[in-house]
């Protein structure tokens, strides 16, 4: 007898495909995948070689999280067109998941970097760092914008760009350098959201690449002017011209309970 026509026991067939024979029994019960034959004397299910590609198709679709009902519909009308439709949908789902995971990884790396900074930082140190260009979603604010309104606007932007949770992005505030130089240390004009997986520039604020002065302030924002004064002294001493916006972002929010321990990272671009 040709080996391809030889019947296999349910155990042999299950082992050949790396699954439990109970799975085959369940597929039979719901009418998804029937055995080639059933022994009339003992009711044992038997399968043949030709059924292997069909079962592998079902197992592939299950691995892709295609529902049983969807697979049943597909099996009733198997064709290249219906298979392509299913795979197109799943590939699109995978692409969205990959994009999300890449964004989460980037955010985790950012948090990891912040923790490394916290463990090694000297709060009194001011440094010059190189930064890559990044695109920021911004919302306009002014001195009279209430905290509740700021939360409302940030929430709206978060939903607009389909962020699942707040940890999917980094948040901060922006204040013009011109305001700082005039002594207006509370003249914040924008809140920003950095979305890790978002790379379009249309309608977004582009934070330029280049050299930045970086400093840190510990405590609430009422005393942040003292940090800015140190930055200005540093810039003057080293012949640096500050420009654009100051970008402020908390770096230890996840590991503190008191506002007195809050650390704000300040970065200001240097004019070339």
């Amino acid at each position: 007898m040709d080996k391809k026509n030889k019947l296999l026991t349910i155990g042999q067939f299950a082992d050949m495909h790396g699954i439990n024979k109970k799975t085959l029994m369940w597929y039979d019960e719901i009418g998804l995948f029937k055995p080639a034959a059933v022994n009339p004397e003992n009711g044992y299910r038997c399968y043949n070689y030709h059924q292997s590609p069909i079962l592998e198709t079902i197992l592939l679709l299950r691995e892709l999280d295609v529902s049983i009902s969807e697979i049943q519909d597909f099996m009733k009308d198997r064709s290249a067109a219906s298979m392509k439709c299913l795979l197109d949908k799943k590939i699109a789902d995978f692409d969205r998941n990959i994009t999300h995971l890449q964004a989460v990884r980037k955010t985790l790396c950012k948090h990891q970097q912040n923790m490394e900074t916290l463990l090694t930082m000297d709060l009194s140190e001011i440094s010059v760092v190189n930064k890559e260009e990044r695109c920021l979603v911004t919302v306009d604010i002014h001195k009279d914008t209430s905290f509740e309104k700021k939360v409302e606007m940030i929430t709206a932007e978060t939903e607009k760009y389909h962020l699942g949770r707040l940890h999917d992005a980094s948040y901060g505030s922006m204040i013009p350098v011109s305001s700082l130089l005039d002594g207006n240390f509370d003249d914040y004009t924008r809140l920003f959201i950095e979305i890790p997986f978002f790379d379009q520039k249309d309608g977004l604020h582009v934070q330029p690449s280049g050299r930045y002065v970086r400093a840190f302030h510990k405590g609430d924002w009422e005393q942040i002017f003292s940090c800015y004064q140190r930055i200005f002294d540093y810039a003057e001493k080293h012949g640096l011209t500050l420009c654009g916006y100051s970008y402020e972002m908390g770096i230890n929010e996840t590991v503190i309970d008191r506002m007195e321990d809050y650390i704000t990272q300040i970065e200001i671009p240097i004019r070339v």
Side-chain angles (χ1 to χ4, degrees):
M1 180 184 292
D2 187 271
K3 290 183 178 179
K4 292 186 178 181
N5 294 319
K6 183 178 179 180
L7 292 178
L8 302 170
T9 67
I10 188 171
Q12 291 172 325
F13 197 67
D15 288 343
M16 188 168 72
H17 292 278
I19 60 175
N20 192 298
K21 65 181 183 180
K22 289 184 178 179
T23 300
L24 289 173
M25 295 170 66
W26 180 52
Y27 285 171
D28 181 17
E29 290 170 4
I30 63 176
L32 178 61
F33 184 72
K34 293 288 187 179
V38 177
N39 189 313
E41 297 180 1
N42 52 28
Y44 288 171
R45 299 170 174 87
C46 297
Y47 300 81
N48 63 38
Y49 175 85
H50 297 289
Q51 291 181 287
S52 287
I54 300 174
L55 178 59
E56 283 298 324
T57 299
I58 293 172
L59 296 178
L60 169 64
L61 295 177
R62 288 299 291 150
E63 191 171 341
L64 295 177
D65 289 328
V66 178
S67 69
I68 289 295
S69 60
E70 287 179 292
I71 296 176
Q72 287 175 320
D73 290 340
F74 166 73
M75 294 301 292
K76 292 174 184 175
D77 184 25
R78 281 189 298 146
S79 67
S82 58
M83 173 61 92
K84 182 179 182 302
C85 183
L86 268 178
L87 295 180
D88 285 347
K89 180 177 181 297
K90 282 303 164 183
I91 289 172
D93 289 342
F94 274 122
D95 287 342
R96 282 191 293 271
N97 289 335
I98 289 171
T99 298
H100 174 70
L101 289 174
Q102 288 174 333
V104 171
R105 187 184 189 282
K106 187 171 182 179
T107 302
L108 290 176
C109 288
K110 181 70 173 179
H111 288 316
Q112 181 188 45
Q113 179 184 349
N114 289 343
M115 295 306 105
E116 289 176 354
T117 299
L118 288 171
L119 293 172
T120 59
M121 70 189 305
D122 177 356
L123 284 174
S124 65
E125 180 184 8
I126 297 177
S127 60
V128 174
V129 298
N130 289 304
K131 291 184 65 67
E132 295 181 356
E133 177 186 284
R134 63 175 180 167
C135 295
L136 305 175
V137 177
T138 61
V139 294
D140 294 332
I141 59 171
H142 50 77
K143 292 180 180 180
D144 297 326
T145 305
S146 67
F147 175 76
E148 291 75 13
K149 183 62 177 178
K150 292 176 182 177
V151 171
E152 178 184 325
M153 291 190 294
I154 284 292
T155 301
E157 290 300 308
T158 299
E159 294 176 351
K160 177 180 176 181
Y161 290 98
H162 308 292
L163 293 173
R165 297 176 177 83
L166 290 178
H167 69 234
D168 286 342
S170 299
Y171 298 79
S173 55
M174 298 163 55
I175 183 169
V177 170
S178 57
S179 294
L180 295 170
L181 293 173
D182 289 338
N184 298 319
F185 299 102
D186 60 349
D187 190 22
Y188 293 93
T189 58
R190 294 180 180 180
L191 302 177
F192 71 77
I193 311 170
E194 180 186 7
I195 304 179
F197 55 85
F198 205 69
D199 56 7
Q200 78 173 56
K201 295 183 179 180
D202 294 343
L204 301 183
H205 170 83
V206 178
Q207 182 180 356
S209 61
R211 299 165 70 218
Y212 282 68
V213 171
R214 174 185 289 171
F216 300 94
H217 169 70
K218 184 176 182 179
D220 61 38
W221 294 289
E222 292 182 2
Q223 299 299 317
I224 202 168
F225 69 88
S226 62
C227 185
Y228 277 113
Q229 191 57 60
R230 289 194 301 111
I231 292 173
F232 297 149
D233 292 343
Y234 176 91
E236 183 178 1
K237 178 180 178 181
H238 292 83
L240 305 175
T241 301
L242 306 179
C243 62
Y245 289 90
S246 172
Y247 300 86
E248 298 181 7
M249 186 171 64
I251 65 170
N252 67 337
E253 295 166 313
T254 59
V255 293
I256 62 167
D257 295 317
R258 304 183 310 158
M259 190 60 195
E260 302 94 285
D261 298 322
Y262 189 91
I263 296 177
T264 303
Q265 175 182 276
I266 300 171
E267 294 180 334
I268 308 177
I270 299 170
R271 179 173 292 140
V272 179

